[in-house]
Amino acid sequence: MMLTCTVDASFDPKTTKASGAFVCKQEGKTTEASFAISAQNNHEAEWVALLEALKVAKNLAPSTLLIVMDSSLVVNAIEKRYVKAAGFQKWLATCLEHWDTFPLVFIKWGSPKEMKRADTLAREHLYKQ
């Protein structure tokens, strides 16, 4: 069973509040969630959102997982299994621990159209905080 999860985060530098969201679809079923995140910037918020989506995806037990994100930093780091910025290395390591538990997993950069629902959920949650 293929599971596709669109993952996004939102960060407000004025209030330093952040939120994340994901939309996971598998065989006609959709699982959505949005949540508050403790993060220093949008990049860190994207890492946290990915980690939360990976945890939920694990419980759905897909044979194949596709993660779609609009954070090129996170997508490239996962693909290369490397990130230069020291502040993100712990996030990469933690995400890869979860990543490596899936039988087959992919990540790709998502267009604004693909990201629309996850982006909306993250922004709505951010402004409700």
Side-chain angles (χ1 to χ4, degrees):
M1 295 179 291
M2 171 93 160
L3 175 66
T4 301
C5 292
T6 306
V7 182
D8 203 7
S10 196
F11 179 80
D12 184 344
K14 291 179 184 173
T15 64
T16 66
K17 290 183 180 179
S19 64
F22 57 81
V23 178
C24 295
K25 295 182 180 184
Q26 183 179 43
E27 293 187 349
K29 287 186 176 182
T30 301
T31 302
E32 295 183 343
S34 61
F35 40 88
I37 290 175
S38 176
Q40 301 297 314
N41 55 53
N42 191 64
H43 293 304
E44 186 175 18
E46 296 278 358
W47 283 108
V48 177
L50 173 59
L51 182 58
E52 291 304 312
L54 290 171
K55 290 176 182 177
V56 169
K58 180 136 179 97
N59 291 329
L60 298 173
S63 58
T64 305
L65 173 62
L66 172 61
I67 297 288
V68 182
M69 296 185 74
D70 64 0
S71 170
S72 58
L73 183 146
V74 174
V75 170
N76 290 336
I78 292 289
E79 286 178 336
K80 295 175 183 175
R81 302 179 72 90
Y82 170 80
V83 65
K84 185 176 183 177
F88 299 137
Q89 290 172 357
K90 68 175 182 172
W91 289 111
L92 175 61
T94 303
C95 287
L96 287 176
E97 284 177 24
H98 290 271
W99 188 266
D100 291 340
T101 65
F102 293 95
L104 191 57
V105 61
F106 303 96
I107 192 167
K108 76 170 200 143
W109 180 84
S111 69
K113 183 179 178 182
E114 291 173 290
M115 301 302 301
K116 187 174 183 175
R117 181 67 183 148
D119 177 69
T120 298
L121 289 171
R123 287 178 190 272
E124 285 176 352
H125 195 280
L126 178 67
Y127 295 111
K128 287 180 184 175
Q129 291 185 55

